[in-house]
Amino acid sequence: MILATRLPWHVQFAENPRPRAAAAMGVDVVVTALRVGMPALEALRSEGEPVGPVLCCPAHGSMFIPVEAGTIHRWGAAHSRCLRDSWVCGTAYGSGWSRCPRRFWLLPYETSFPTTSPGSLHQQLSASRAQLRMVAA
């Protein structure tokens, strides 16, 4: 899988680069496919929306996007799932979950926001998925 981007990102190979304050307050995590998530995050950043650190797993084609705590209770989308402070990936939803050693973090240069807006993220993920479906048709 090719991970293409047109905006600068800082790549970090570490277990947890999130600011300590963000880690302490807890977050929910939106998990989506890299091919859907990357264009959505690029669109958010292009619009000046805050984007926090993002965990990527190219081996499983997954992207983990931290959002404010409490999002899990109102998230309902076919293109992603929302979990409570979960950073594990695997081969199938609900089974085979484990830590993956091939992951890395993407951090935007221009911001230090600990989370991404769930409403804006949902809208951009939906738009990104719709565009991919149109291309495939």
Side-chain angles (χ1 to χ4, degrees):
M1 168 178 280
I2 297 172
L3 184 61
T5 180
R6 55 186 167 77
L7 297 173
W9 292 84
H10 175 73
V11 178
Q12 185 171 352
F13 297 92
E15 185 59 30
N16 190 354
R18 294 180 298 161
R20 287 186 183 165
M25 73 178 176
V27 294
D28 289 345
V29 181
V30 172
V31 183
T32 191
L34 281 168
R35 70 181 181 277
V36 175
M38 198 67 205
L41 293 176
E42 295 266 307
L44 286 173
R45 288 182 63 204
S46 294
E47 294 170 0
E49 290 281 333
V51 172
V54 178
L55 181 62
C56 299
C57 178
H60 294 109
S62 300
M63 178 174 273
F64 300 78
I65 307 164
V67 293
E68 65 189 38
T71 301
I72 190 171
H73 302 296
R74 60 184 188 269
W75 193 266
H79 49 62
S80 57
R81 62 190 180 279
C82 189
L83 307 169
R84 177 74 189 130
D85 202 16
S86 178
W87 303 94
V88 294
C89 57
T91 56
Y93 181 76
S95 64
W97 298 100
S98 63
R99 294 228 178 258
C100 182
R102 297 182 181 105
R103 302 184 310 176
F104 60 90
W105 289 87
L106 292 178
L107 298 98
Y109 279 104
E110 70 276 0
T111 185
S112 62
F113 292 97
T115 60
T116 302
S117 164
S120 298
L121 178 62
H122 187 279
Q123 182 179 6
Q124 287 299 336
L125 286 173
S126 296
S128 179
R129 182 173 184 245
Q131 186 176 19
L132 283 172
R133 293 181 90 180
M134 285 178 39
V135 171

